Amino acid sequence: MNYQWYPGHMTKAKRRMQEDIGLVDLVIELIDARIPVSSRNPEIDNLGKNKARLVLLNKSDLADEKHNRLWMDVFKEKGFHVLLVNSKNGQGIKAIQGIVKEACREKIERDRRRGIINRPIRAMVVGIPNVGKSTFINSFAGKACTKTGNKPGVTKGKQWIRLNKDLELLDTPGILWPKFEDQTVGLRLAMIGSIKDEIIDATELSLRIIEFLHEHYPLALNERYGILDFDDFNEALRMICLNRRCFLKGEELHIARAAGIVCDDFRNGRLGRITIDRNP
């Protein structure tokens, strides 16, 4: 299956970000801790060139703890400031203000030398669809100041949010890139819900999820669905149908319903803490 999604509004959003980058001191990039490489728009590094950088590994509670630590080291070696966060419950949020000041220390000192005091740091918040930018901003600000939703593409326009006298945030829509050179990246984005489900074959996606779990987290399938031994992944999905009693009329299996359950369980952490992008 070909995984690709780049609606027209993303081109417009990218153009606006390029126009606005000169207004900010810092780029705060949210990535999904389960796919720290696949959830990074490769165009962001060029966009944020010569800007202070902060990478937030969001949804870290859904990712494998061991791999969280490894990925933090990888990004620190690249010269980024890095923090594990969970925007939904506020984990790591309080530490951000201090890290922002650390990341922008040169800018703050430069302002001080020029006699500019108390000018707030202006930061652009970027990331792919459904990575949790709006939830992060609401959590950071302590109030609902942006729209949130558990589906890609909720934030459509530019929004400035003044958090306090020291920091202003520019929220931006989630944007992907025009073409996935590696379809594995598209698959992994679909697995976490960053590509619209309407354009995806959920049954095929669920089979790829089962395949990944079978290879890397086999006990997760047994603990959640009571399955361990099967001849192929289609049989595994049929076994999940039976376990979850997904039937059409009579005893006919409702494969599509079971596929939806697998995708939903995987995305919401019911299959355990899982990291899809393995550390290079």
Side-chain angles (χ1 to χ4, degrees), residues 6 39 42 204 222 242:
Y6 193 74
S39 62
E204 175 66 22
N222 187 44
L242 293 169

Side-chain angles (χ1 to χ4, degrees), residues 231-257:
D231 294 329
D232 58 48
F233 305 121
N234 283 289
E235 182 188 1
L237 186 55
R238 290 192 295 271
M239 293 169 72
I240 293 171
C241 259
L242 293 169
N243 178 278
R244 286 294 183 264
R245 302 196 60 77
C246 299
F247 298 109
L248 293 166
K249 292 180 180 179
E251 294 298 311
E252 183 182 354
L253 297 177
H254 197 330
I255 297 293
R257 183 181 170 197

